[in-house]
Amino acid sequence: MTSSSDRSPAVDVPPSKTYEVRTYGCQMNVHDSERLSGLLEEAGYVRAPEGSDGDADVVVFNTCAVRENADNKLYGNLGHLAPMKAKRPGMQIAVGGCLAQKDRDTIVKRAPWVDVVFGTHNIGKLPVLLERARVQEEAQVEIAESLEAFPSTLPTRRESAYAAWVSISVGCNNTCTFCIVPALRGKEKDRRPGDILAEVEALVAEGVSEITLLGQNVNAYGSDIGDREAFSKLLRACGAIEGLERVRFTSPHPRDFTDDVIAAMAETPNVMPQLHMPLQSGSDTVLKAMRRSYRQDRYLGIIEKVRAAIPHAAITTDIIVGFPGETEEDFEQTLHVVREARFAQAFTFQYSKRPGTPAATMDNQIPKQVVQARYERLVALQEEISWEENKKQVGRNLELMVAEGEGRKDGTTHRLSGRAPDNRLVHFTKPEQAVRPGDVVTVEITYAAPHHLLAEGPVLDVRRTRAGDAWEKRNAEKAAKPAGVMLGLPKIGVPEPLPVVTGGCAVD
C-alpha cells in the first residue's frame, strides 16, 4: 500500500470545484495527466465539461520541454488565462511536467499569476500545493530532484474502459545529444515484475483487454534490477494472463533490442505484431553525433530478424531531419534505410534546437530551407511506401478492436473505426448488430490509403467482449458520476487505443 510519505495529506475542497488538465508532449505525459486527474478527483474536484477552455476552478498544464517552442506555447496559454483568473476569484493555475522541472522559478517570474509549479518527480503533491497556495496566498514552487513515489501508486482517472497504459519504468540512462529527458526524468528506475503483473491483472478484472507497456526506453527494462532478459520474460508473463487480448509496448531502443525479445513477440499470441523502433537517422556519422549506440547495419539487422519471425509485423519509426552537421550524403543514407525497412509509418521531425541539450551548441547547424527541403523529400518517400504497404492488406480478413473517438466522419459515412492487431487504423461499415468500443469485429479490407484502411463490405463477425461490457457500464454510470474509471491499488490508466505515439526518447 502507499505510505503516508508517498501521497499528499487530505485536502479540504469546497463542493463542486472543477478542474481541467491540459497535456502536451509524449505518452508519458498523457499517462501522468491521468494521475493528476485521479489525484484531483480523489481530493474532491470534479472534471470541467468538455470545451470549458479554462473556465474551471483549477487549470493544470502538464508541459513538455522538448517540443519546438514549448515555452512560448505555455506562456501564450498562461497569458490567455490571466484575465479569466482576474475575473474569477479563487481560480488557480498549476504548471507541471518537464518544462516545469527545467525552468522552475522562471515560470512564476514570467507569469506571476501562476499558483503552483511542480515537477516530474512529485506529481502526487499537486492537491496539497494547491491548498497551500490558497491558504498562504502566494505561489508554491516545489521541484523534487528524484522520484518520490512510482506513479502507479497514485490514483488514476482513466479515459478508456478497455485499454490502458502500464508503466514498467521511469527515467532513461541514455545520453542522446538531442534529448533533455534524462535530465528531467532522471535515471531509469524499474518496477518489480510482480507489481507490474498484479497491476495488469487488476486492469483485466476491471474489463481492460488491451495494455501498452510504457517506458522511456521500454526494452531496457531489467537494467535496474539486474536481469537482461527481464523484458522478454515480462512479455511472456503477460501472455499467461487470461482475458488479456492485446499487449503492445513503446518505445524501445535499438541498442537494447535483443533476440529474446523478438522470440517472445513471435511466440506470445497476445503480443501484437507491431513494433515502433526509432531510427532518428540512417547515417552512421549522424548517429554517432547523436550518441545513438547503434549503426545502420545493426538497425536493419533488427528489422530483418523481426520480419523473419513475424512476417505481418507493422514497423513504424521516428526520424529527425537536419541534425547539426548532416550532409546530403548523410540524408541519402536515411532515405536508403527508409527504402530498405519499408516502414508502415514514420513520424518525421525537423531538427530544432532544444535549450540544455548538447546538440543545441554544435557547429554546422543546418539552414532552415535545407532542412525543409529534405523533410519534404522524406515525407514524400514515406507516403509512397506507406500506401504500398497498406495496399498489401487489401483482401485480408482482420480482427479489429472497435475504437472510441477515431474517424471523425462517422456520422456522415455511417462507419465505425477500429485497430487491427498491427495497430493499423481501419474504418468499417457499421453492422446491424450493435457494437461497442472494446468489442471485436472481423472485416475484409477493400481499400487502402496511406494512413488508413477501409472495409466497405458487411462485417463478417461481431464478438461482444468483457471490454465492451466495461465500456457500456461506464457510460451507463455517467449520469450518476463523472466519467472515468478509478481503480484500487495498483492503479493505472490510458486513453483509448491510439496510433503509435512518439515518445520516450524517440523524439525527445
Side-chain angles (χ1 to χ4, degrees):
M1 296 296 292
T2 309
S3 69
S4 59
S5 62
D6 290 336
R7 296 269 292 279
S8 300
V11 176
D12 185 17
V13 177
S16 301
K17 283 277 189 177
T18 59
Y19 77 89
E20 176 188 351
V21 178
R22 300 186 185 183
T23 309
Y24 304 89
C26 68
Q27 72 269 42
M28 195 71 74
N29 274 16
V30 174
H31 185 47
D32 285 347
S33 287
E34 292 190 326
R35 305 286 179 209
L36 295 170
S37 296
L39 284 161
L40 291 169
E41 293 193 5
E42 187 180 64
Y45 293 88
V46 176
R47 186 174 185 172
E50 292 289 334
S52 58
D53 192 26
D55 187 19
D57 296 294
V58 171
V59 179
V60 183
F61 292 87
N62 189 9
T63 64
C64 172
V66 300
R67 307 290 173 170
E68 189 171 7
N69 297 320
D71 53 346
N72 291 335
K73 291 175 183 176
L74 170 65
Y75 293 114
N77 284 317
L78 291 175
H80 174 71
L81 289 185
M84 298 177 67
K85 186 179 180 188
K87 296 177 183 178
R88 183 168 185 157
M91 179 181 178
Q92 291 184 298
I93 300 172
V95 179
C98 289
L99 192 63
Q101 187 79 20
K102 182 172 76 74
D103 286 357
R104 305 176 182 235
D105 295 327
T106 304
I107 294 172
V108 174
K109 289 177 182 177
R110 290 185 60 177
W113 55 93
V114 169
D115 300 276
V116 171
V117 179
F118 62 100
T120 59
H121 299 310
N122 63 331
I123 64 175
K125 292 292 183 63
L126 176 60
V128 77
L129 291 173
L130 289 168
E131 178 69 4
R132 194 184 301 163
R134 184 182 68 82
V135 172
Q136 298 182 6
E137 297 184 342
E138 63 179 10
Q140 302 296 309
V141 179
E142 186 171 308
I143 307 291
E145 297 300 330
S146 60
L147 193 68
E148 293 186 347
F150 204 92
S152 289
T153 64
L154 300 175
T156 300
R157 183 195 188 281
R158 290 194 290 111
E159 297 300 326
S160 172
Y162 57 90
W165 301 119
V166 174
S167 184
I168 69 172
S169 65
V170 294
C172 180
N173 294 335
N174 292 320
T175 58
C176 302
T177 54
F178 56 82
C179 181
I180 199 171
V181 166
L184 304 179
R185 294 274 182 181
K187 293 293 185 181
E188 179 178 327
K189 293 185 182 297
D190 296 334
R191 294 179 67 195
R192 289 172 38 185
D195 292 341
I196 297 169
L197 294 171
E199 181 172 347
V200 174
E201 289 171 351
L203 286 164
V204 172
E206 291 283 338
V208 167
S209 60
E210 176 176 316
I211 60 118
T212 301
L213 302 176
L214 179 62
Q216 216 76 47
N217 182 10
V218 70
N219 61 318
Y221 177 74
S223 62
D224 187 43
I225 57 179
D227 184 353
R228 290 183 58 84
E229 295 188 353
F231 186 61
S232 62
K233 293 175 182 175
L234 184 62
L235 291 177
R236 292 183 185 277
C238 287
I241 297 177
E242 186 176 354
L244 180 59
E245 296 196 19
R246 295 187 173 191
V247 178
R248 306 186 191 275
F249 58 89
T250 195
S251 290
H253 192 293
R255 182 194 68 183
D256 301 300
F257 207 84
T258 50
D259 290 349
D260 61 296
V261 173
I262 298 173
M265 291 176 66
E267 296 166 9
T268 309
N270 64 357
V271 176
M272 294 294 95
Q274 171 212 346
L275 175 63
H276 184 71
M277 178 72 77
L279 169 65
Q280 308 305 8
S281 174
S283 163
D284 289 353
T285 302
V286 174
L287 288 170
K288 183 177 180 180
M290 289 178 168
R291 291 189 200 150
R292 301 285 287 181
S293 49
Y294 55 90
R295 299 296 178 259
Q296 182 188 117
D297 285 350
R298 160 73 173 156
Y299 186 93
L300 288 175
I302 293 171
I303 301 300
E304 184 178 358
K305 288 180 179 179
V306 170
R307 288 244 161 83
I310 316 167
H312 289 301
I315 300 174
T316 57
T317 196
D318 298 323
I319 301 173
I320 297 173
V321 178
F323 189 80
E326 180 188 73
T327 65
E328 180 63 24
E329 182 180 353
D330 292 326
F331 178 66
E332 287 291 344
Q333 289 299 306
T334 295
L335 296 181
H336 169 71
V337 174
V338 170
R339 293 187 186 101
E340 291 292 312
R342 300 197 63 80
F343 300 114
Q345 190 173 0
F347 299 88
T348 52
F349 305 87
Q350 298 185 40
Y351 173 79
S352 60
K353 292 182 179 181
R354 297 296 188 265
T357 63
T361 58
M362 286 181 175
D363 295 331
N364 299 318
Q365 301 283 329
I366 310 300
K368 172 66 176 176
Q369 63 270 25
V370 175
V371 177
Q372 180 68 34
R374 290 177 182 170
Y375 174 79
E376 290 174 1
R377 287 164 59 195
L378 173 61
V379 169
L381 173 62
Q382 182 55 53
E383 287 279 299
E384 179 184 337
I385 292 172
S386 294
W387 198 359
E388 290 172 355
E389 291 300 305
N390 274 358
K391 287 177 182 177
K392 295 177 182 177
Q393 305 298 311
V394 174
R396 292 187 65 196
N397 289 354
L398 299 178
E399 273 200 339
L400 312 179
M401 182 175 289
V402 181
E404 181 176 29
E406 298 197 87
R408 296 190 177 184
K409 295 182 181 179
D410 291 353
T412 56
T413 62
H414 302 288
R415 290 181 182 137
L416 299 176
S417 301
R419 290 281 168 178
D422 64 9
N423 210 35
R424 282 183 166 92
L425 177 63
V426 182
H427 303 302
F428 63 95
T429 302
K430 187 176 181 179
E432 293 184 6
Q433 180 180 349
V435 293
R436 308 157 300 178
D439 285 340
V440 174
V441 298
T442 302
V443 300
E444 181 183 352
I445 303 303
T446 58
Y447 176 82
H451 301 291
H452 69 270
L453 302 171
L454 289 182
E456 299 164 298
V459 169
L460 303 178
D461 184 61
V462 174
R463 177 164 59 86
R464 293 172 70 85
T465 66
R466 291 175 60 254
D469 294 343
W471 180 89
E472 190 171 36
K473 179 181 178 183
R474 183 195 68 176
N475 281 268
E477 294 172 348
K478 274 186 176 180
K481 187 177 181 180
V485 181
M486 300 292 290
L487 298 180
L489 290 174
K491 300 179 177 177
I492 195 62
V494 68
E496 64 270 20
L498 299 170
V500 176
V501 181
T502 56
C505 67
V507 296
D508 299 347

